[in-house]
Structure formats: structure tokens, C-alpha cells
Amino acid sequence: MKRALITGVTGQDGSYLAELLLAKGYEVCGLVRRSSSFNTERLERIYQDPHVADYRLRLVYGDLDDASSLNRAIRTIKPDEIYNLGAQSHVRVSFDIPEYTASTVGVGTLRLLEAIRESGLDKSVRFYQASSSEMFGGAAPPQNESTPFEPRSPYACAKVFAHQLCQNYREAYGMFIACGILFNHESPRRGIPFVTRKITRAAARIRHGLDKKLYLGNLDAKRDWGFAGDYVEAMWMMLQQDKPDDFVVATGESHSVREALDVAFGALGLDWKKFVEIDPRYFRPTEVDHLHGDASKAQKALGWKPKVGFRELIEMMVKADEEDVRLAMAGRAPSA
């Protein structure tokens, strides 16, 4: 039985990846930070699955800001595969806490790679690095693996450092390190502060009279949005190849925030223009106007392609958020 370690297991991608690996027969260990509140809601459906034995999903305490905890986790777990998904991943927030963002995203990756080397597992473990389309920043679309990076936020700068560090460790030490340059990917499990989830949740709450307004920033920004459940499959595929490489993962089409509003509010019979107001607080100091990925390399080499389209994705999220609103109004807990 293969054993995988996932940093960021309690996040959107981590929960979908854990489900995928468990379905493939893996033992999954998730790295979680110790905090004053639990943040395992996205994993509840796994724990409720009678086919998943307790020992096949374990959570261990650790932090990308704490090298000793990473060393201990690697030596104790001895994973076959490591998926580095942990990060302070909100781009706008990275301008407010740049040092913390750089530490978790950039130096945290360095700490993890060094923990692997010091454990002696550097020639056996396979490592997945969650790189980001934000690294392209101001580069003209479409963007692929050869597009120069033009990062436009502390988050993107930290991701570029981590990405190039992984390339260096792959070449210098012969480590199996694959970097997935993932474009925006969403789901009903997306964090509430992120724009797609902010839109779908607000649409559901406005539809049921719980909110009256939605405040947003740049409505003209265009993104290549896909479904997180599709994208974690690409992560796994990268670590099953004979040789490590870097791959762009994207749908190949981009849509504006306005289009997301059209689909989300339209699904509930609402005109978003009556409810949305622009708030300057949500504009980035340096904006990324247009991200549009070219995933032809991943499609050819991995045999991967997205299954869920943009409209289907947004409507899926609206449906889930509306169900949560209905449950909340009925005095029941929302779905995980």
C-alpha cells in the first residue's frame, strides 16, 4: 500500500486529493497546523465513509513554518509521495501579510525539501509542488510552461521562488519533483474569501433574503477557471510518470468576473447589477488582468483533460451554497 503525505490537507485541494488517493488504495497522512479551532470540515465526508478504515487517513501536527515538525513528520511517516499544497494562498491578503506569505509558500517549500534530503528519502520519495498561474502575472495569454514569469503579488513572488527551487533540487540532487502550474480551480469547498465562492454564496443568500449587497473589486479580471476535483487528478498523474516534469493545468478558456456573476445570479433568476457594488478595498495594488492557460502538454503527456466546464462549475457551486442556506434557515448544519 502506497503512503502519501499531504500538506494543506484540510483545504479545498487537499480534501479532494485525499479522497482520490484513498479511492486508489493509498494510506493518506495529512499535515495540519495546531490552532485554537478545528478546520477539518472538508474531510468529514471521508470520516463518514464506512469503507475507509481509521488507519488509512491520519492527521499529524506540523507546520511549514516549523522545520523540526517537518523533519519529524517525514522520518515518522516515510511517505512514498508528498503533495505540497499548504500555503497562505489568498493573493490580495498576501499584500497585507507578505512576510508570512513568503515564509509559508517559499521558505516552507525549502524546509520541506531539506527535511526530505535529511531523512535520506530524497532518492525514493516523489514530490508534487503546487505552483500557480499567478506566477505568470502580467505575461500575455495564453500562458504555457515556456511563458516567462511576471509575478505581481507577494504570493506570486513566493510561488516563483518555490517553483524554481524545486527545479533546482530536481537537477542538483536527482529528486523526483513535479511542479503543477495550476490555473484557478474552484468547487463548493472553495474558501469563502475567494471571488467565485464569494459570488455564489452571496447569490444564494440574496435569493433567500439573508443579504442585500455583494461588494467586489475588479469585475473585468479574466481567469481560466476549472474544477478542483479534476485538477487533483492531474497532480496524481504527474507523480506516476517515469520522469518528473512541469505541467500547466488549465481548461484553455477564460472568463471575466462579470461572466461569473451572470451565471451565478442567473441560475437563481436574479439580476446581479441590482445587488453588486464596487469596493476599492478589494482591488489589488498590482492587478493581474488576464490568465488563460495552454494545457496541451499535460493533455498529451498525461492524458489529462478537464471534465467540468465553466458554467457547470459555477452552477454546481450555486446549488451547493443554496442548499447550505436552506439547511441553515431550517436550523440544520450545512453540508461539508
Side-chain angles (χ1 to χ4, degrees):
M1 180 185 298
K2 283 187 177 180
R3 184 178 297 131
L5 172 63
I6 303 174
T7 71
V9 71
T10 59
Q12 169 189 253
D13 293 7
S15 65
Y16 279 112
L17 179 61
E19 289 179 1
L20 175 72
L21 297 179
L22 288 167
K24 293 182 178 296
Y26 280 66
E27 177 184 344
V28 175
C29 298
L31 196 72
V32 294
R33 289 176 299 159
R34 181 71 179 94
S35 67
S36 58
S37 60
F38 289 106
N39 183 32
T40 57
E41 296 89 352
R42 295 182 179 95
L43 302 175
E44 287 301 318
R45 67 184 67 225
I46 297 177
Y47 286 117
Q48 294 169 5
D49 186 344
H51 301 292
V52 178
D54 289 341
Y55 73 88
R56 286 189 54 215
L57 175 61
R58 292 190 294 126
L59 301 182
V60 297
Y61 286 121
D63 197 314
L64 290 169
D65 268 344
D66 177 16
S68 63
S69 69
L70 299 178
N71 274 277
R72 183 171 59 252
I74 298 296
R75 291 176 183 276
T76 302
I77 296 168
K78 295 182 174 62
D80 300 292
E81 298 175 358
I82 296 175
Y83 296 84
N84 185 29
L85 312 184
Q88 189 302 101
S89 60
H90 197 285
V91 177
R92 178 61 188 84
V93 172
S94 76
F95 285 97
D96 299 323
I97 48 173
E99 184 178 340
Y100 175 72
T101 300
S103 181
T104 57
V105 175
V107 183
T109 301
L110 174 60
R111 295 185 186 105
L112 190 53
L113 291 173
E114 279 298 291
I116 295 169
R117 287 209 318 120
E118 291 174 11
S119 71
L121 297 175
D122 51 303
K123 294 299 187 289
S124 60
V125 72
R126 296 192 168 202
F127 185 92
Y128 171 81
Q129 170 62 18
S131 295
S132 169
S133 61
E134 286 287 336
M135 300 188 304
F136 295 124
Q143 296 101 359
N144 61 27
E145 294 83 1
S146 300
T147 303
F149 298 139
E150 297 182 21
R152 306 199 73 194
S153 68
Y155 169 77
C157 290
K159 278 293 186 184
V160 170
F161 170 75
H163 178 81
Q164 294 182 334
L165 183 72
C166 285
Q167 292 177 323
N168 179 255
Y169 270 55
R170 183 169 63 204
E171 296 171 5
Y173 302 115
M175 297 173 68
F176 191 110
I177 302 175
C179 299
I181 308 174
L182 272 58
F183 279 64
N184 294 65
H185 44 289
E186 321 295 317
S187 75
R189 303 181 197 175
R190 187 59 145 153
I192 292 172
F194 292 87
V195 68
T196 50
R197 182 72 193 288
K198 191 175 180 180
I199 289 171
T200 61
R201 184 173 181 268
R205 290 179 61 82
I206 289 171
R207 173 66 179 80
H208 290 278
L210 298 180
D211 287 339
K212 295 182 179 180
K213 291 290 182 180
L214 168 61
Y215 297 93
L216 295 173
N218 183 7
L219 303 188
D220 296 316
K222 301 184 74 173
R223 294 292 184 269
D224 187 325
W225 277 304
F227 174 50
D230 290 342
Y231 285 36
V232 298
E233 187 174 5
M235 297 178 189
W236 175 79
M237 287 177 170
M238 291 180 207
L239 295 196
Q240 313 314 308
Q241 304 306 301
D242 292 333
K243 295 181 180 179
D245 206 345
D246 305 328
F247 297 93
V248 161
V249 179
T251 67
E253 59 180 64
S254 57
H255 300 271
S256 68
V257 175
R258 291 179 189 274
E259 291 176 83
L261 286 165
D262 284 337
V263 176
F265 279 76
L268 299 176
L270 299 173
D271 179 1
W272 64 265
K273 297 181 183 67
K274 297 179 180 179
F275 307 102
V276 173
E277 293 188 9
I278 303 301
D279 188 332
R281 293 178 302 170
Y282 295 118
F283 282 88
R284 301 180 187 179
T286 46
E287 183 58 81
V288 174
D289 296 316
H290 192 181
L291 294 177
H292 182 152
D294 172 11
S296 55
K297 178 179 176 180
Q299 292 176 13
K300 182 177 180 180
L302 305 178
W304 177 89
K305 62 180 180 179
K307 303 181 183 71
V308 178
F310 172 72
R311 177 172 291 274
E312 183 183 357
L313 170 64
I314 299 300
E315 290 178 347
M316 173 204 306
M317 294 172 67
V318 170
K319 182 179 179 181
D321 277 323
E322 190 181 23
E323 178 63 19
D324 283 352
V325 168
R326 291 181 186 277
L327 291 174
M329 294 177 71
R332 296 165 58 192
S335 60

